Amino acid sequence: ASSSPPPWPRPAAPARAATSAFTGAPVARAPVARAALRAPARSATHTRMSATGEPLEDWLQRVEPELAKCMRGVFAACKEIAYKIRTASCDKMSCFNDFGDEQLAIDILADKVIFENLEASGVVATASSEEVPIEKPITEGGKFSVAFDPLDGSSIIDTNFSVGTIFGVWPGSKLTGITGRTICASGMAIYGPRTSVSLAIDGVEGAHEFLLIDDFSGRHGQWIHTAVFNTVSEGKLFAPGNLRAAQDNPGYQKLLDHYFAEKYQLRYTGGMVPDVNQILVKGKGVFCNPASPSAKAKLRVLYEVAPIGYLMEKGGAKTSDGKGSVLDIPIETTEARSQVCYGSAGEVARFEELVGTKVLSEVA
């Protein structure tokens, strides 16, 4: 039986040269049939679009050139991390892979890979990783600053659960004294049965999925634009984090009681990236991670809460720290932390009503 053709155009004959995502060396690049490509003129208004089947390189023609360079660096890093994860050796404690002559824990390796690719982009002034939460100068005169969690969920990688990378891009050279409102791009890479990146970027409406398609070449695959997320509707799907907080946060216990009484579907892996990304893919549901006096907020605003918040709001979801959008949380230090809820408008409103910030205010 013959298989159905993929929903993206098949490559034509090799033409212009490109660079290897791993080494930077020139490689032959097979362009997609141009009939499928329609890069609209840039303007101050948002670009409305649907899934195009374009390679990342062509899709980025919509984006301001310097920001596109930054995105190429991030996607190149995610491609390399995906390969390293697939080839990692794991024991009961952690996973390792080779980095030059060193054998490194996979989360430390991911950290190195991202820093190297951001430096190679030539447009990043400052970067900061959750592994070492300091603002690190990268390129003098760079236009952007990037904060990232190199491998969220690294503690479950040995079980072969899905894990991910989270990143946020701000204009300028500072990653403190800011809020999520000034983010110009953010996203999550999901390393699971498929490798994909969900991306939101300034000037382009919606959130966008890019799938890493194996092209059986030395490039280890090609990023293809495969989906657009614009709406998150009401639906009974929940992913509850930090369940210990329900012991001394009565509002959280009431919220869980509601989920159970209304027979919501539990879809929770313990990996924040796949647990949140499913809301975009399914177009419904809620993820929450409340805090309590004994189970304090552990999610960092700079590396996780704000970048995911920007992505989710661009994708049609609502976000909250208990009183309002997570994009309004001041990021005064790299250590700033918060409880969080992402999901449909109704679910986030319920989180604010039942959980809110009452218990945390009483402790403060």
PDB file of all heavy atoms in Angstrom, residues 235-243 252 255-271 274-276 278-279 282 284-288 347:
ATOM      1  N   GLY A 235     -12.636  23.320  28.101  1.00  0.00           N
ATOM      2  CA  GLY A 235     -12.593  21.868  27.958  1.00  0.00           C
ATOM      3  C   GLY A 235     -12.065  21.226  29.226  1.00  0.00           C
ATOM      4  O   GLY A 235     -11.231  21.810  29.927  1.00  0.00           O
ATOM      5  N   LYS A 236     -12.521  20.044  29.524  1.00  0.00           N
ATOM      6  CA  LYS A 236     -12.215  19.402  30.801  1.00  0.00           C
ATOM      7  C   LYS A 236     -10.935  18.576  30.736  1.00  0.00           C
ATOM      8  O   LYS A 236     -10.944  17.351  30.770  1.00  0.00           O
ATOM      9  CB  LYS A 236     -13.401  18.535  31.242  1.00  0.00           C
ATOM     10  CG  LYS A 236     -14.646  19.352  31.548  1.00  0.00           C
ATOM     11  CD  LYS A 236     -15.777  18.486  32.048  1.00  0.00           C
ATOM     12  CE  LYS A 236     -16.988  19.328  32.425  1.00  0.00           C
ATOM     13  NZ  LYS A 236     -18.090  18.493  32.963  1.00  0.00           N
ATOM     14  N   LEU A 237      -9.822  19.264  30.653  1.00  0.00           N
ATOM     15  CA  LEU A 237      -8.495  18.649  30.653  1.00  0.00           C
ATOM     16  C   LEU A 237      -7.637  19.451  31.619  1.00  0.00           C
ATOM     17  O   LEU A 237      -7.564  20.678  31.519  1.00  0.00           O
ATOM     18  CB  LEU A 237      -7.918  18.668  29.240  1.00  0.00           C
ATOM     19  CG  LEU A 237      -6.547  18.019  28.994  1.00  0.00           C
ATOM     20  CD1 LEU A 237      -6.458  17.546  27.542  1.00  0.00           C
ATOM     21  CD2 LEU A 237      -5.401  18.987  29.279  1.00  0.00           C
ATOM     22  N   PHE A 238      -7.010  18.768  32.604  1.00  0.00           N
ATOM     23  CA  PHE A 238      -6.235  19.525  33.594  1.00  0.00           C
ATOM     24  C   PHE A 238      -4.894  18.870  33.891  1.00  0.00           C
ATOM     25  O   PHE A 238      -4.747  17.651  33.831  1.00  0.00           O
ATOM     26  CB  PHE A 238      -7.039  19.739  34.879  1.00  0.00           C
ATOM     27  CG  PHE A 238      -7.168  18.542  35.796  1.00  0.00           C
ATOM     28  CD1 PHE A 238      -6.687  18.594  37.093  1.00  0.00           C
ATOM     29  CD2 PHE A 238      -7.791  17.370  35.367  1.00  0.00           C
ATOM     30  CE1 PHE A 238      -6.820  17.504  37.955  1.00  0.00           C
ATOM     31  CE2 PHE A 238      -7.946  16.296  36.223  1.00  0.00           C
ATOM     32  CZ  PHE A 238      -7.446  16.354  37.521  1.00  0.00           C
ATOM     33  N   ALA A 239      -3.921  19.732  34.187  1.00  0.00           N
ATOM     34  CA  ALA A 239      -2.570  19.304  34.561  1.00  0.00           C
ATOM     35  C   ALA A 239      -2.193  20.070  35.824  1.00  0.00           C
ATOM     36  O   ALA A 239      -1.799  21.239  35.745  1.00  0.00           O
ATOM     37  CB  ALA A 239      -1.581  19.586  33.431  1.00  0.00           C
ATOM     38  N   PRO A 240      -2.337  19.455  37.001  1.00  0.00           N
ATOM     39  CA  PRO A 240      -2.102  20.152  38.267  1.00  0.00           C
ATOM     40  C   PRO A 240      -0.685  19.918  38.805  1.00  0.00           C
ATOM     41  O   PRO A 240      -0.306  18.797  39.137  1.00  0.00           O
ATOM     42  CB  PRO A 240      -3.144  19.529  39.197  1.00  0.00           C
ATOM     43  CG  PRO A 240      -3.260  18.102  38.705  1.00  0.00           C
ATOM     44  CD  PRO A 240      -2.934  18.107  37.228  1.00  0.00           C
ATOM     45  N   GLY A 241       0.091  20.971  38.927  1.00  0.00           N
ATOM     46  CA  GLY A 241       1.431  20.858  39.484  1.00  0.00           C
ATOM     47  C   GLY A 241       1.468  21.210  40.958  1.00  0.00           C
ATOM     48  O   GLY A 241       0.514  21.769  41.508  1.00  0.00           O
ATOM     49  N   ASN A 242       2.592  20.873  41.607  1.00  0.00           N
ATOM     50  CA  ASN A 242       2.819  21.220  43.019  1.00  0.00           C
ATOM     51  C   ASN A 242       1.642  20.812  43.905  1.00  0.00           C
ATOM     52  O   ASN A 242       1.121  21.604  44.693  1.00  0.00           O
ATOM     53  CB  ASN A 242       3.102  22.719  43.163  1.00  0.00           C
ATOM     54  CG  ASN A 242       3.793  23.062  44.473  1.00  0.00           C
ATOM     55  OD1 ASN A 242       4.431  22.220  45.098  1.00  0.00           O
ATOM     56  ND2 ASN A 242       3.678  24.308  44.897  1.00  0.00           N
ATOM     57  N   LEU A 243       1.227  19.561  43.789  1.00  0.00           N
ATOM     58  CA  LEU A 243       0.045  19.094  44.523  1.00  0.00           C
ATOM     59  C   LEU A 243       0.206  19.191  46.037  1.00  0.00           C
ATOM     60  O   LEU A 243      -0.789  19.268  46.768  1.00  0.00           O
ATOM     61  CB  LEU A 243      -0.268  17.643  44.127  1.00  0.00           C
ATOM     62  CG  LEU A 243      -0.925  17.463  42.757  1.00  0.00           C
ATOM     63  CD1 LEU A 243      -0.977  15.998  42.374  1.00  0.00           C
ATOM     64  CD2 LEU A 243      -2.330  18.060  42.752  1.00  0.00           C
ATOM     65  N   TYR A 252      -6.630  25.853  46.613  1.00  0.00           N
ATOM     66  CA  TYR A 252      -6.151  24.851  45.657  1.00  0.00           C
ATOM     67  C   TYR A 252      -6.906  23.541  45.851  1.00  0.00           C
ATOM     68  O   TYR A 252      -7.272  22.871  44.881  1.00  0.00           O
ATOM     69  CB  TYR A 252      -4.651  24.656  45.824  1.00  0.00           C
ATOM     70  CG  TYR A 252      -3.996  23.828  44.724  1.00  0.00           C
ATOM     71  CD1 TYR A 252      -4.630  23.594  43.513  1.00  0.00           C
ATOM     72  CD2 TYR A 252      -2.721  23.282  44.909  1.00  0.00           C
ATOM     73  CE1 TYR A 252      -4.015  22.847  42.505  1.00  0.00           C
ATOM     74  CE2 TYR A 252      -2.103  22.546  43.917  1.00  0.00           C
ATOM     75  CZ  TYR A 252      -2.752  22.332  42.719  1.00  0.00           C
ATOM     76  OH  TYR A 252      -2.140  21.584  41.732  1.00  0.00           O
ATOM     77  N   LEU A 255     -10.143  23.830  44.193  1.00  0.00           N
ATOM     78  CA  LEU A 255      -9.978  23.745  42.733  1.00  0.00           C
ATOM     79  C   LEU A 255      -9.846  22.290  42.290  1.00  0.00           C
ATOM     80  O   LEU A 255     -10.481  21.857  41.323  1.00  0.00           O
ATOM     81  CB  LEU A 255      -8.741  24.551  42.311  1.00  0.00           C
ATOM     82  CG  LEU A 255      -8.491  24.677  40.807  1.00  0.00           C
ATOM     83  CD1 LEU A 255      -9.643  25.396  40.113  1.00  0.00           C
ATOM     84  CD2 LEU A 255      -7.170  25.407  40.551  1.00  0.00           C
ATOM     85  N   LEU A 256      -9.046  21.509  43.013  1.00  0.00           N
ATOM     86  CA  LEU A 256      -8.899  20.089  42.693  1.00  0.00           C
ATOM     87  C   LEU A 256     -10.229  19.356  42.871  1.00  0.00           C
ATOM     88  O   LEU A 256     -10.584  18.497  42.047  1.00  0.00           O
ATOM     89  CB  LEU A 256      -7.822  19.464  43.578  1.00  0.00           C
ATOM     90  CG  LEU A 256      -6.391  19.942  43.349  1.00  0.00           C
ATOM     91  CD1 LEU A 256      -5.464  19.377  44.421  1.00  0.00           C
ATOM     92  CD2 LEU A 256      -5.895  19.550  41.964  1.00  0.00           C
ATOM     93  N   ASP A 257     -10.961  19.687  43.928  1.00  0.00           N
ATOM     94  CA  ASP A 257     -12.272  19.065  44.148  1.00  0.00           C
ATOM     95  C   ASP A 257     -13.202  19.328  42.971  1.00  0.00           C
ATOM     96  O   ASP A 257     -13.974  18.453  42.558  1.00  0.00           O
ATOM     97  CB  ASP A 257     -12.910  19.588  45.435  1.00  0.00           C
ATOM     98  CG  ASP A 257     -12.186  19.101  46.689  1.00  0.00           C
ATOM     99  OD1 ASP A 257     -11.422  18.114  46.588  1.00  0.00           O
ATOM    100  OD2 ASP A 257     -12.384  19.712  47.770  1.00  0.00           O
ATOM    101  N   HIS A 258     -13.119  20.545  42.417  1.00  0.00           N
ATOM    102  CA  HIS A 258     -13.943  20.882  41.244  1.00  0.00           C
ATOM    103  C   HIS A 258     -13.562  20.006  40.047  1.00  0.00           C
ATOM    104  O   HIS A 258     -14.443  19.462  39.369  1.00  0.00           O
ATOM    105  CB  HIS A 258     -13.773  22.357  40.883  1.00  0.00           C
ATOM    106  CG  HIS A 258     -14.373  22.721  39.563  1.00  0.00           C
ATOM    107  ND1 HIS A 258     -15.718  22.982  39.399  1.00  0.00           N
ATOM    108  CD2 HIS A 258     -13.815  22.841  38.324  1.00  0.00           C
ATOM    109  CE1 HIS A 258     -15.960  23.248  38.124  1.00  0.00           C
ATOM    110  NE2 HIS A 258     -14.833  23.181  37.457  1.00  0.00           N
ATOM    111  N   TYR A 259     -12.245  19.871  39.807  1.00  0.00           N
ATOM    112  CA  TYR A 259     -11.803  19.042  38.678  1.00  0.00           C
ATOM    113  C   TYR A 259     -12.317  17.605  38.809  1.00  0.00           C
ATOM    114  O   TYR A 259     -12.795  17.005  37.845  1.00  0.00           O
ATOM    115  CB  TYR A 259     -10.275  19.023  38.608  1.00  0.00           C
ATOM    116  CG  TYR A 259      -9.618  20.348  38.291  1.00  0.00           C
ATOM    117  CD1 TYR A 259      -8.329  20.633  38.783  1.00  0.00           C
ATOM    118  CD2 TYR A 259     -10.246  21.313  37.518  1.00  0.00           C
ATOM    119  CE1 TYR A 259      -7.707  21.833  38.496  1.00  0.00           C
ATOM    120  CE2 TYR A 259      -9.623  22.525  37.240  1.00  0.00           C
ATOM    121  CZ  TYR A 259      -8.348  22.783  37.727  1.00  0.00           C
ATOM    122  OH  TYR A 259      -7.728  23.962  37.445  1.00  0.00           O
ATOM    123  N   PHE A 260     -12.220  17.069  40.013  1.00  0.00           N
ATOM    124  CA  PHE A 260     -12.637  15.680  40.230  1.00  0.00           C
ATOM    125  C   PHE A 260     -14.162  15.535  40.124  1.00  0.00           C
ATOM    126  O   PHE A 260     -14.661  14.599  39.496  1.00  0.00           O
ATOM    127  CB  PHE A 260     -12.151  15.182  41.590  1.00  0.00           C
ATOM    128  CG  PHE A 260     -10.648  15.142  41.725  1.00  0.00           C
ATOM    129  CD1 PHE A 260     -10.025  15.528  42.907  1.00  0.00           C
ATOM    130  CD2 PHE A 260      -9.855  14.721  40.668  1.00  0.00           C
ATOM    131  CE1 PHE A 260      -8.647  15.500  43.034  1.00  0.00           C
ATOM    132  CE2 PHE A 260      -8.476  14.690  40.786  1.00  0.00           C
ATOM    133  CZ  PHE A 260      -7.866  15.073  41.965  1.00  0.00           C
ATOM    134  N   ALA A 261     -14.888  16.460  40.738  1.00  0.00           N
ATOM    135  CA  ALA A 261     -16.349  16.368  40.736  1.00  0.00           C
ATOM    136  C   ALA A 261     -16.923  16.493  39.329  1.00  0.00           C
ATOM    137  O   ALA A 261     -17.925  15.843  38.997  1.00  0.00           O
ATOM    138  CB  ALA A 261     -16.939  17.457  41.636  1.00  0.00           C
ATOM    139  N   GLU A 262     -16.261  17.315  38.509  1.00  0.00           N
ATOM    140  CA  GLU A 262     -16.740  17.534  37.139  1.00  0.00           C
ATOM    141  C   GLU A 262     -16.114  16.554  36.140  1.00  0.00           C
ATOM    142  O   GLU A 262     -16.293  16.697  34.948  1.00  0.00           O
ATOM    143  CB  GLU A 262     -16.444  18.973  36.720  1.00  0.00           C
ATOM    144  CG  GLU A 262     -17.209  20.014  37.522  1.00  0.00           C
ATOM    145  CD  GLU A 262     -18.709  19.859  37.368  1.00  0.00           C
ATOM    146  OE1 GLU A 262     -19.164  19.612  36.242  1.00  0.00           O
ATOM    147  OE2 GLU A 262     -19.411  19.970  38.402  1.00  0.00           O
ATOM    148  N   LYS A 263     -15.376  15.573  36.664  1.00  0.00           N
ATOM    149  CA  LYS A 263     -14.804  14.499  35.842  1.00  0.00           C
ATOM    150  C   LYS A 263     -13.900  15.021  34.717  1.00  0.00           C
ATOM    151  O   LYS A 263     -14.025  14.634  33.551  1.00  0.00           O
ATOM    152  CB  LYS A 263     -15.920  13.616  35.267  1.00  0.00           C
ATOM    153  CG  LYS A 263     -16.709  12.863  36.346  1.00  0.00           C
ATOM    154  CD  LYS A 263     -17.780  11.997  35.747  1.00  0.00           C
ATOM    155  CE  LYS A 263     -18.397  11.074  36.786  1.00  0.00           C
ATOM    156  NZ  LYS A 263     -18.972  11.795  37.930  1.00  0.00           N
ATOM    157  N   TYR A 264     -12.981  15.905  35.093  1.00  0.00           N
ATOM    158  CA  TYR A 264     -11.966  16.367  34.146  1.00  0.00           C
ATOM    159  C   TYR A 264     -11.004  15.217  33.815  1.00  0.00           C
ATOM    160  O   TYR A 264     -10.801  14.314  34.636  1.00  0.00           O
ATOM    161  CB  TYR A 264     -11.144  17.517  34.739  1.00  0.00           C
ATOM    162  CG  TYR A 264     -11.796  18.876  34.673  1.00  0.00           C
ATOM    163  CD1 TYR A 264     -13.105  19.085  35.064  1.00  0.00           C
ATOM    164  CD2 TYR A 264     -11.070  19.973  34.224  1.00  0.00           C
ATOM    165  CE1 TYR A 264     -13.689  20.339  35.016  1.00  0.00           C
ATOM    166  CE2 TYR A 264     -11.636  21.237  34.166  1.00  0.00           C
ATOM    167  CZ  TYR A 264     -12.946  21.413  34.567  1.00  0.00           C
ATOM    168  OH  TYR A 264     -13.509  22.665  34.517  1.00  0.00           O
ATOM    169  N   GLN A 265     -10.388  15.279  32.645  1.00  0.00           N
ATOM    170  CA  GLN A 265      -9.348  14.313  32.268  1.00  0.00           C
ATOM    171  C   GLN A 265      -8.007  14.790  32.811  1.00  0.00           C
ATOM    172  O   GLN A 265      -7.582  15.916  32.524  1.00  0.00           O
ATOM    173  CB  GLN A 265      -9.252  14.180  30.750  1.00  0.00           C
ATOM    174  CG  GLN A 265     -10.432  13.510  30.103  1.00  0.00           C
ATOM    175  CD  GLN A 265     -10.257  13.443  28.592  1.00  0.00           C
ATOM    176  OE1 GLN A 265      -9.929  14.426  27.938  1.00  0.00           O
ATOM    177  NE2 GLN A 265     -10.464  12.271  28.029  1.00  0.00           N
ATOM    178  N   LEU A 266      -7.339  13.938  33.573  1.00  0.00           N
ATOM    179  CA  LEU A 266      -6.005  14.256  34.083  1.00  0.00           C
ATOM    180  C   LEU A 266      -4.979  13.949  33.003  1.00  0.00           C
ATOM    181  O   LEU A 266      -4.884  12.818  32.527  1.00  0.00           O
ATOM    182  CB  LEU A 266      -5.710  13.435  35.337  1.00  0.00           C
ATOM    183  CG  LEU A 266      -4.299  13.567  35.921  1.00  0.00           C
ATOM    184  CD1 LEU A 266      -4.043  14.992  36.397  1.00  0.00           C
ATOM    185  CD2 LEU A 266      -4.099  12.575  37.063  1.00  0.00           C
ATOM    186  N   ARG A 267      -4.206  14.969  32.611  1.00  0.00           N
ATOM    187  CA  ARG A 267      -3.140  14.798  31.625  1.00  0.00           C
ATOM    188  C   ARG A 267      -1.901  15.511  32.159  1.00  0.00           C
ATOM    189  O   ARG A 267      -1.670  16.681  31.893  1.00  0.00           O
ATOM    190  CB  ARG A 267      -3.556  15.375  30.263  1.00  0.00           C
ATOM    191  CG  ARG A 267      -4.695  14.626  29.595  1.00  0.00           C
ATOM    192  CD  ARG A 267      -4.243  13.235  29.144  1.00  0.00           C
ATOM    193  NE  ARG A 267      -5.301  12.516  28.435  1.00  0.00           N
ATOM    194  CZ  ARG A 267      -6.162  11.693  29.007  1.00  0.00           C
ATOM    195  NH1 ARG A 267      -6.095  11.501  30.321  1.00  0.00           N
ATOM    196  NH2 ARG A 267      -7.085  11.068  28.302  1.00  0.00           N
ATOM    197  N   TYR A 268      -1.121  14.795  32.962  1.00  0.00           N
ATOM    198  CA  TYR A 268       0.005  15.405  33.667  1.00  0.00           C
ATOM    199  C   TYR A 268       1.181  14.445  33.669  1.00  0.00           C
ATOM    200  O   TYR A 268       1.036  13.292  34.085  1.00  0.00           O
ATOM    201  CB  TYR A 268      -0.403  15.743  35.110  1.00  0.00           C
ATOM    202  CG  TYR A 268       0.675  16.410  35.926  1.00  0.00           C
ATOM    203  CD1 TYR A 268       1.031  17.737  35.688  1.00  0.00           C
ATOM    204  CD2 TYR A 268       1.340  15.722  36.935  1.00  0.00           C
ATOM    205  CE1 TYR A 268       2.007  18.351  36.436  1.00  0.00           C
ATOM    206  CE2 TYR A 268       2.330  16.334  37.694  1.00  0.00           C
ATOM    207  CZ  TYR A 268       2.661  17.650  37.438  1.00  0.00           C
ATOM    208  OH  TYR A 268       3.642  18.263  38.173  1.00  0.00           O
ATOM    209  N   THR A 269       2.342  14.912  33.197  1.00  0.00           N
ATOM    210  CA  THR A 269       3.539  14.065  33.150  1.00  0.00           C
ATOM    211  C   THR A 269       4.589  14.481  34.161  1.00  0.00           C
ATOM    212  O   THR A 269       5.501  13.712  34.447  1.00  0.00           O
ATOM    213  CB  THR A 269       4.188  14.113  31.755  1.00  0.00           C
ATOM    214  OG1 THR A 269       4.767  15.419  31.547  1.00  0.00           O
ATOM    215  CG2 THR A 269       3.178  13.820  30.654  1.00  0.00           C
ATOM    216  N   GLY A 270       4.505  15.700  34.678  1.00  0.00           N
ATOM    217  CA  GLY A 270       5.566  16.219  35.538  1.00  0.00           C
ATOM    218  C   GLY A 270       6.589  17.016  34.762  1.00  0.00           C
ATOM    219  O   GLY A 270       7.499  17.600  35.350  1.00  0.00           O
ATOM    220  N   GLY A 271       6.448  17.063  33.435  1.00  0.00           N
ATOM    221  CA  GLY A 271       7.286  17.923  32.602  1.00  0.00           C
ATOM    222  C   GLY A 271       6.471  19.149  32.213  1.00  0.00           C
ATOM    223  O   GLY A 271       5.458  19.045  31.518  1.00  0.00           O
ATOM    224  N   PRO A 274       5.741  19.795  28.052  1.00  0.00           N
ATOM    225  CA  PRO A 274       4.655  19.065  27.386  1.00  0.00           C
ATOM    226  C   PRO A 274       3.303  19.267  28.056  1.00  0.00           C
ATOM    227  O   PRO A 274       2.268  19.273  27.377  1.00  0.00           O
ATOM    228  CB  PRO A 274       5.095  17.599  27.473  1.00  0.00           C
ATOM    229  CG  PRO A 274       6.066  17.543  28.608  1.00  0.00           C
ATOM    230  CD  PRO A 274       6.763  18.867  28.587  1.00  0.00           C
ATOM    231  N   ASP A 275       3.281  19.461  29.378  1.00  0.00           N
ATOM    232  CA  ASP A 275       2.012  19.634  30.072  1.00  0.00           C
ATOM    233  C   ASP A 275       1.329  20.952  29.710  1.00  0.00           C
ATOM    234  O   ASP A 275       0.095  21.037  29.714  1.00  0.00           O
ATOM    235  CB  ASP A 275       2.220  19.556  31.588  1.00  0.00           C
ATOM    236  CG  ASP A 275       2.546  18.146  32.060  1.00  0.00           C
ATOM    237  OD1 ASP A 275       2.259  17.201  31.304  1.00  0.00           O
ATOM    238  OD2 ASP A 275       3.092  17.994  33.166  1.00  0.00           O
ATOM    239  N   VAL A 276       2.120  21.975  29.397  1.00  0.00           N
ATOM    240  CA  VAL A 276       1.542  23.246  28.946  1.00  0.00           C
ATOM    241  C   VAL A 276       1.282  23.211  27.442  1.00  0.00           C
ATOM    242  O   VAL A 276       0.232  23.659  26.969  1.00  0.00           O
ATOM    243  CB  VAL A 276       2.466  24.428  29.308  1.00  0.00           C
ATOM    244  CG1 VAL A 276       1.940  25.724  28.701  1.00  0.00           C
ATOM    245  CG2 VAL A 276       2.587  24.573  30.818  1.00  0.00           C
ATOM    246  N   GLN A 278       0.384  20.927  25.514  1.00  0.00           N
ATOM    247  CA  GLN A 278      -0.817  20.185  25.120  1.00  0.00           C
ATOM    248  C   GLN A 278      -2.046  21.095  25.058  1.00  0.00           C
ATOM    249  O   GLN A 278      -2.990  20.835  24.295  1.00  0.00           O
ATOM    250  CB  GLN A 278      -1.085  19.034  26.085  1.00  0.00           C
ATOM    251  CG  GLN A 278      -1.465  19.454  27.487  1.00  0.00           C
ATOM    252  CD  GLN A 278      -1.788  18.276  28.396  1.00  0.00           C
ATOM    253  OE1 GLN A 278      -2.178  17.220  27.921  1.00  0.00           O
ATOM    254  NE2 GLN A 278      -1.607  18.448  29.698  1.00  0.00           N
ATOM    255  N   ILE A 279      -2.051  22.180  25.832  1.00  0.00           N
ATOM    256  CA  ILE A 279      -3.187  23.108  25.808  1.00  0.00           C
ATOM    257  C   ILE A 279      -3.285  23.775  24.440  1.00  0.00           C
ATOM    258  O   ILE A 279      -4.383  23.948  23.895  1.00  0.00           O
ATOM    259  CB  ILE A 279      -3.043  24.154  26.934  1.00  0.00           C
ATOM    260  CG1 ILE A 279      -3.071  23.475  28.309  1.00  0.00           C
ATOM    261  CG2 ILE A 279      -4.139  25.217  26.835  1.00  0.00           C
ATOM    262  CD1 ILE A 279      -2.733  24.402  29.460  1.00  0.00           C
ATOM    263  N   LYS A 282      -4.258  20.772  21.839  1.00  0.00           N
ATOM    264  CA  LYS A 282      -5.640  20.326  21.997  1.00  0.00           C
ATOM    265  C   LYS A 282      -6.635  21.475  21.876  1.00  0.00           C
ATOM    266  O   LYS A 282      -7.830  21.250  21.640  1.00  0.00           O
ATOM    267  CB  LYS A 282      -5.822  19.647  23.357  1.00  0.00           C
ATOM    268  CG  LYS A 282      -4.979  18.399  23.573  1.00  0.00           C
ATOM    269  CD  LYS A 282      -5.425  17.255  22.687  1.00  0.00           C
ATOM    270  CE  LYS A 282      -4.708  15.964  23.056  1.00  0.00           C
ATOM    271  NZ  LYS A 282      -5.096  14.847  22.145  1.00  0.00           N
ATOM    272  N   LYS A 284      -7.608  23.367  24.346  1.00  0.00           N
ATOM    273  CA  LYS A 284      -8.447  23.412  25.538  1.00  0.00           C
ATOM    274  C   LYS A 284      -7.606  23.006  26.737  1.00  0.00           C
ATOM    275  O   LYS A 284      -6.503  22.477  26.588  1.00  0.00           O
ATOM    276  CB  LYS A 284      -9.629  22.455  25.408  1.00  0.00           C
ATOM    277  CG  LYS A 284      -9.223  20.975  25.325  1.00  0.00           C
ATOM    278  CD  LYS A 284     -10.438  20.067  25.227  1.00  0.00           C
ATOM    279  CE  LYS A 284     -10.004  18.585  25.197  1.00  0.00           C
ATOM    280  NZ  LYS A 284     -11.173  17.688  25.118  1.00  0.00           N
ATOM    281  N   GLY A 285      -8.163  23.267  27.941  1.00  0.00           N
ATOM    282  CA  GLY A 285      -7.533  22.747  29.151  1.00  0.00           C
ATOM    283  C   GLY A 285      -6.884  23.796  30.019  1.00  0.00           C
ATOM    284  O   GLY A 285      -6.949  24.997  29.760  1.00  0.00           O
ATOM    285  N   VAL A 286      -6.223  23.309  31.079  1.00  0.00           N
ATOM    286  CA  VAL A 286      -5.609  24.200  32.056  1.00  0.00           C
ATOM    287  C   VAL A 286      -4.391  23.518  32.671  1.00  0.00           C
ATOM    288  O   VAL A 286      -4.385  22.304  32.903  1.00  0.00           O
ATOM    289  CB  VAL A 286      -6.626  24.595  33.155  1.00  0.00           C
ATOM    290  CG1 VAL A 286      -7.133  23.368  33.923  1.00  0.00           C
ATOM    291  CG2 VAL A 286      -6.046  25.623  34.117  1.00  0.00           C
ATOM    292  N   PHE A 287      -3.361  24.311  32.919  1.00  0.00           N
ATOM    293  CA  PHE A 287      -2.190  23.903  33.700  1.00  0.00           C
ATOM    294  C   PHE A 287      -2.082  24.882  34.852  1.00  0.00           C
ATOM    295  O   PHE A 287      -2.158  26.102  34.655  1.00  0.00           O
ATOM    296  CB  PHE A 287      -0.918  23.962  32.855  1.00  0.00           C
ATOM    297  CG  PHE A 287       0.350  23.802  33.661  1.00  0.00           C
ATOM    298  CD1 PHE A 287       0.929  22.556  33.828  1.00  0.00           C
ATOM    299  CD2 PHE A 287       0.965  24.899  34.258  1.00  0.00           C
ATOM    300  CE1 PHE A 287       2.097  22.389  34.578  1.00  0.00           C
ATOM    301  CE2 PHE A 287       2.133  24.750  35.008  1.00  0.00           C
ATOM    302  CZ  PHE A 287       2.689  23.494  35.156  1.00  0.00           C
ATOM    303  N   CYS A 288      -1.897  24.370  36.060  1.00  0.00           N
ATOM    304  CA  CYS A 288      -1.717  25.270  37.197  1.00  0.00           C
ATOM    305  C   CYS A 288      -0.611  24.747  38.107  1.00  0.00           C
ATOM    306  O   CYS A 288      -0.392  23.541  38.210  1.00  0.00           O
ATOM    307  CB  CYS A 288      -3.008  25.465  37.978  1.00  0.00           C
ATOM    308  SG  CYS A 288      -3.692  23.954  38.703  1.00  0.00           S
ATOM    309  N   GLU A 347     -11.146  28.748  32.845  1.00  0.00           N
ATOM    310  CA  GLU A 347     -10.322  28.023  33.819  1.00  0.00           C
ATOM    311  C   GLU A 347      -9.392  28.965  34.577  1.00  0.00           C
ATOM    312  O   GLU A 347      -9.184  28.806  35.786  1.00  0.00           O
ATOM    313  CB  GLU A 347      -9.519  26.927  33.114  1.00  0.00           C
ATOM    314  CG  GLU A 347     -10.365  25.813  32.526  1.00  0.00           C
ATOM    315  CD  GLU A 347     -11.163  25.049  33.567  1.00  0.00           C
ATOM    316  OE1 GLU A 347     -10.875  25.172  34.775  1.00  0.00           O
ATOM    317  OE2 GLU A 347     -12.093  24.316  33.169  1.00  0.00           O
TER     318      GLU A 347
END
